[in-house]
């Protein structure tokens, strides 16, 4: 299971660092039925 961290979501939304933003954009595409992704409630709360 792939857990998404708050920092990855912030980089995805803000794109303040080009290299890290690129990685953050590519990572959500990696989960699949074999490797599902997960964003926990605490990460979503921290992001907001």
């Amino acid at each position: 299971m792939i857990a998404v961290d708050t920092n990855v979501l912030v980089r995805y939304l803000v794109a303040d660092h080009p290299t890290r933003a690129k990685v953050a954009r590519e990572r959500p595409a990696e989960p699949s039925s074999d490797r599902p992704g997960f964003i926990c409630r605490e990460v979503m709360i921290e992001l907001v």
Side-chain angles (χ1 to χ4, degrees):
M1 179 175 290
I2 298 172
V4 179
D5 184 57
T6 307
N7 294 324
V8 175
L9 294 176
V10 170
R11 295 285 183 200
Y12 179 83
L13 294 171
V14 178
D16 59 344
H17 189 280
T19 306
R20 292 181 182 165
K22 181 180 181 225
V23 171
R25 282 192 309 271
E26 293 170 354
R27 295 294 166 145
E30 289 182 10
S32 64
S33 59
D34 296 334
R35 294 180 55 199
F38 178 75
I39 301 174
C40 71
R41 175 182 52 230
E42 291 79 11
V43 168
M44 292 303 291
I45 292 169
E46 187 176 17
L47 179 64
V48 172

